[in-house]
Structure formats: C-alpha cells, structure tokens
Amino acid sequence: MDSKSLLACAQRVALELPFTEHCWPFGPEYDVFKVGGKIFMLMGVAHGRPHVSLKSDPQKSLLNQQIYRSIEPGYHLNKKHWISVYAGDDISPGLIADLVNDSWNQVVDKLPKRTQKQMRPGG
C-alpha cells in the first residue's frame, strides 16, 4: 500500500466509526482523530515519510512489529501503547481497518461505562 492510499484508508475507516471527531490541535500538519475527547489516531509526516499512529495493546503492538516491517513503535508517542504504520507492501486495507478499529476500542474501553454504552452500536 502506498502512502496516499494508507492515509486515505485510515481516514475513511476512522470517520466511519461512531462519535469520531477530526481536528487539528497540533497544527495543520497533523490530522488528529478523537473519540470521547481522547486521541485514538494521528496522521502526519516524519522524516519525509507519511504515517498513521494508533493506540495499540502492548502485546499486539510487539507482535505486529515482528510480523509487519512497516509497523514501528509510535513516532513521538509512548512506544509501549502506540504504533506508527508506514506505507509498504505488507500493509493492506484490511489490516489498517483492524488497527484503526482496535485503537478506537482501546480508547472507548477507558471511558466511563455510561459513555461506552452510548458510543458502541447496540451497546
């Protein structure tokens, strides 16, 4: 998957999730996606390489970094809880959708139970 497709796919998936807010609190160079006022995805460019940074379970994060060479510890983020995904042949739209959904759920899981019920479809 090339950089343009990576960013477009991640943004499309994120905006399809309920209660997602797209904003630019760090300036126009970083697209930020929040749910419940908490960040679950950032898109930007690091050293000329576009990337998508997502919250990730620490164990899944390590596993994904071993399986996919285009997934690295979160750029300028907590390396244990964030990953950055770069363009590469090993990245597919399905993988991006799974990672974005996982990130959204990681954030929602930390919100108050009442808020979680309001945000999750059927919940």
Side-chain angles (χ1 to χ4, degrees), residues 18 35-36 103-112 115-117 119-120:
V35 62
S103 182
W104 186 90
N105 280 300
Q106 285 266 316
V107 171
V108 172
D109 285 347
K110 301 289 185 200
L111 297 174
T115 305
Q116 289 180 41
K117 286 182 181 181
M119 292 186 164
R120 287 204 166 98

Side-chain angles (χ1 to χ4, degrees), residues 5-70:
S5 299
L6 170 69
L7 299 177
C9 180
Q11 180 169 329
R12 179 185 49 76
V13 172
L15 291 174
E16 288 174 356
L17 292 167
F19 302 98
T20 295
E21 174 192 357
H22 183 191
C23 56
W24 298 266
F26 308 120
E29 60 274 359
Y30 285 99
D31 285 270
V32 175
F33 298 82
K34 296 180 178 183
V35 62
K38 306 284 184 186
I39 297 172
F40 73 92
M41 185 173 91
L42 297 109
M43 296 190 321
V45 178
H47 307 292
R49 296 170 59 204
H51 64 89
V52 176
S53 293
L54 300 153
K55 284 203 69 108
S56 182
D57 172 78
Q59 290 181 331
K60 280 187 182 177
S61 171
L62 291 173
L63 183 61
N64 282 328
Q65 290 174 56
Q66 291 173 351
I67 295 171
Y68 305 100
R69 70 183 184 287
S70 300

